[in-house]
């Protein structure tokens, strides 16, 4: 969840989010741009994260009953190439060509966003088809087509394909590998140091090093879930299952065990040291902590994330405001997954804050703050003084025409 998409996340929030960019991508310090395109969320240079932050904003708005503006949706779809792929950001006035750098992470998050807001489904399906076409022989995906598979990219692509109805376990390569086996190959065996955790990629000698970001991503991926995952039914306390023939869900539970065990020691995760940086006191990693909260809740362990949510409420709101749309969206996703109120999170209305970072939403409604609570009251917050949905319902009933009005405001869709 998660601002974990390497360069995209790193470019906008840099050290704040503690995410390492791919070696091939330079990540400049973000700076405000006076020439931002209309419809885009955020005020910083979108070069490396425009599609990412836009999509994450949509996902967070959707679960809080906010409909993004047509202008914002059009901007996102305008970033797509005819092939179905998205780049991190491009000048949409120029067509994609052989020099355009396609981005699996941007494509996958955009696909998830379009599916969740239930708009431009044909474009979402086109993106999913492109993702299937660039699957690596080991069953996974890298950050760019043809690059070595990594846990984060593979996980977010799984989420996108699952949300478009693709049977992920049937995406087999010539040697029988699937996206799930690609992820499981990066799991550290239980009984070993950091057992249950996942590596981002193998080291030069094939060694696996625990990576918090990759672990949170892999838990969602192995459960076939997307970024905007809510709470799953509670299961027994996570444990680490040994064995060479584990199911994807068992491997996901092993990852949840590692995250829960780590967060027992302190309620937040720490930033990984930056390459070449001088040794300094470890700093909290708000983004990865939010990701871990979502992963724990999605795997049935929301109770294990309570202390982390309380810590984020106390310490994370300033980070979210400074980090912009993606960071604010991450906190909303973590709040929603655990039943916290995103409209009063540490005294901050995160939904209002996110809405203010982009074009005015097409419609909003005030839901119950809990993912399993009663349905929200219908209505829109409009600046034009138009009739609310509540009034329209009343008028329809009084008219007595015999036509029933069924208005159902739903929360975030359950992940498959």
């Amino acid at each position: 969840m998660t601002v974990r998409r390497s360069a995209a996340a790193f470019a906008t929030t840099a050290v704040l989010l503690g995410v390492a960019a791919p070696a091939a991508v330079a990540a400049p310090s973000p700076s405000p741009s006076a020439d931002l395109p209309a419809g885009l969320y955020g005020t910083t240079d979108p070069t490396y994260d425009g599609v990412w932050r836009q999509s994450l904003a949509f996902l967070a708005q959707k679960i809080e009953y906010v409909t993004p503006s047509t202008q914002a949706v059009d901007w996102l779809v305008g970033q797509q190439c005819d092939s179905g792929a998205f780049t991190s950001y491009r000048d949409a006035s120029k067509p994609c060509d052989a020099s355009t750098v396609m981005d699996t992470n941007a494509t996958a998050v955009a696909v998830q966003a379009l599916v969740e807001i239930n708009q431009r489904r044909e474009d979402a399906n086109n993106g999913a088809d492109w993702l299937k076409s660039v699957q690596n022989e080991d069953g996974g995906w890298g950050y760019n087509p043809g690059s070595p598979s990594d846990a984060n990219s593979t996980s977010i692509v799984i989420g996108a394909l699952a949300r478009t109805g693709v049977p992920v376990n049937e995406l087999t390569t010539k040697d029988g590998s699937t996206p799930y086996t690609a992820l499981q190959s990066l799991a550290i065996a239980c009984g070993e140091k950091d057992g249950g955790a996942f590596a981002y990629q193998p080291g030069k000698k094939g060694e696996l090093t625990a990576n918090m970001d990759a672990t949170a991503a892999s838990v969602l991926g192995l459960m076939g879930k997307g970024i905007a995952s809510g709470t799953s039914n509670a299961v027994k306390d996570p444990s680490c299952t040994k064995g060479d023939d584990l199911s994807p869900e068992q491997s996901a539970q092993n990852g949840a065990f590692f995250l829960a065990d780590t967060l027992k020691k302190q309620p937040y995760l720490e930033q990984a040291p930056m390459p070449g940086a001088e040794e300094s006191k470890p700093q909290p990693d708000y983004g990865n902590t939010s990701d871990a909260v979502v992963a724990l809740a999605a795997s049935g362990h929301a109770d294990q994330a309570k202390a982390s949510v309380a810590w984020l409420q106390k310490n994370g709101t300033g980070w979210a405001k400074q980090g912009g749309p993606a960071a604010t969206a991450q906190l909303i996703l973590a709040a929603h997954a655990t039943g916290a109120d995103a409209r009063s999170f540490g005294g901050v209305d995160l939904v209002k804050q996110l809405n203010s970072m982009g074009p005015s939403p097409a419609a909003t409604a005030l839901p119950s703050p809990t993912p399993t609570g009663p349905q929200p009251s219908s209505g829109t917050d409009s600046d034009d003084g138009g009739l609310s949905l509540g009034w329209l319902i009343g008028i329809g009933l009084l008219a007595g025409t015999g036509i029933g009005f069924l208005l159902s405001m739903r929360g975030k869709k359950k992940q498959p």
Side-chain angles (χ1 to χ4, degrees):
M1 198 174 237
T2 23
V3 181
R4 54 174 175 252
R5 254 14 86 191
S6 302
F10 191 81
T12 50
T13 50
V15 177
L16 281 174
L17 300 187
V19 180
V25 180
S29 299
S31 59
S33 171
D35 239 356
L36 292 173
L40 176 66
Y41 277 73
T43 59
T44 55
D45 182 356
T47 300
Y48 296 107
D49 83 320
V51 168
W52 177 262
R53 74 196 195 201
Q54 191 87 349
S55 301
L56 215 61
F58 288 0
L59 289 168
Q61 287 178 321
K62 169 63 178 178
I63 62 173
E64 289 294 333
Y65 304 86
V66 176
T67 302
S69 71
T70 300
Q71 183 186 43
V73 176
D74 287 346
W75 181 87
L76 178 61
V77 174
Q79 291 290 296
Q80 189 174 31
C81 299
D82 290 341
S83 65
F86 284 77
T87 65
S88 299
Y89 173 80
R90 71 184 184 89
D91 180 355
S93 67
K94 302 175 183 178
C96 300
D97 56 27
S99 66
T100 304
V101 180
M102 308 303 182
D103 182 335
T104 62
N105 290 234
T107 303
V109 73
V111 167
Q112 290 191 41
L114 293 175
V115 170
E116 295 300 342
I117 64 174
N118 197 27
Q119 297 187 44
R120 309 295 287 266
R121 183 55 188 264
E122 185 176 343
D123 297 306
N125 290 343
N126 194 21
D129 288 341
W130 178 80
L131 289 168
K132 288 189 292 182
S133 75
V134 295
Q135 183 182 17
N136 288 337
E137 283 302 312
D138 64 1
W141 286 266
Y143 191 84
N144 303 115
S147 62
S149 297
D150 66 77
N152 295 41
S153 299
T154 301
S155 296
I156 192 173
V157 171
I158 288 175
L161 297 178
R163 294 308 297 132
T164 55
V166 175
V168 177
N169 61 327
E170 296 180 9
L171 291 178
T172 56
T173 59
K174 292 179 181 178
D175 66 356
S177 296
T178 72
Y180 294 131
T181 55
L183 277 182
Q184 288 178 299
S185 71
L186 296 171
I188 298 175
C190 298
E192 297 183 9
K193 181 179 181 296
D194 297 327
F198 287 77
Y200 176 75
Q201 286 176 330
K204 293 181 179 179
K205 298 180 180 180
E207 71 277 12
L208 299 178
T209 302
N211 182 293
M212 294 296 181
D213 194 27
T215 301
S218 297
V219 169
L220 292 182
L222 287 166
M223 296 187 71
K225 295 192 173 186
I227 292 174
S229 295
T231 302
S232 293
N233 292 332
V235 298
K236 63 181 181 180
D237 287 347
S239 59
C240 208
T241 303
K242 296 181 180 180
D244 297 325
D245 192 26
L246 301 180
S247 68
E249 185 171 355
Q250 285 176 315
S251 295
Q253 291 296 330
N254 287 353
F257 164 81
F258 177 77
L259 292 173
D261 188 60
T262 302
L263 290 172
K264 282 179 182 177
K265 301 163 189 173
Q266 62 183 19
Y268 60 89
L269 302 178
E270 294 179 344
Q271 292 177 1
M274 301 301 294
E278 294 183 10
E279 205 171 312
S280 59
K281 182 180 178 181
Q283 298 297 313
D285 190 323
Y286 302 94
N288 278 349
T289 301
S290 300
D291 288 350
V293 165
V294 173
L296 286 171
S299 57
H301 306 293
D303 59 320
Q304 302 288 325
K306 287 182 178 178
S308 297
V309 173
W311 182 84
L312 286 169
Q313 287 177 311
K314 184 177 180 180
N315 301 281
T317 55
W319 161 79
K321 186 174 183 179
Q322 184 176 355
T328 300
Q330 277 187 279
L331 280 195
I332 292 174
L333 294 170
H336 176 82
T338 53
D341 187 355
R343 286 177 164 82
S344 182
F345 193 83
V348 176
D349 186 337
L350 294 174
V351 180
K352 182 178 180 180
Q353 179 171 294
L354 178 60
N355 291 346
S356 71
M357 294 177 175
S360 297
T364 64
L366 185 61
S368 162
T370 62
T372 56
Q375 295 297 315
S377 58
S378 298
T380 58
D381 292 332
S382 174
D383 292 331
D384 60 10
L387 290 174
S388 70
L389 287 177
W391 276 105
L392 291 175
I393 293 171
I395 292 170
L397 291 173
L398 289 174
T401 61
I403 301 174
F405 289 84
L406 179 60
L407 297 177
S408 175
M409 298 301 295
R410 294 184 300 160
K412 186 182 67 61
K413 297 178 182 176
K414 295 289 184 182
Q415 306 292 327

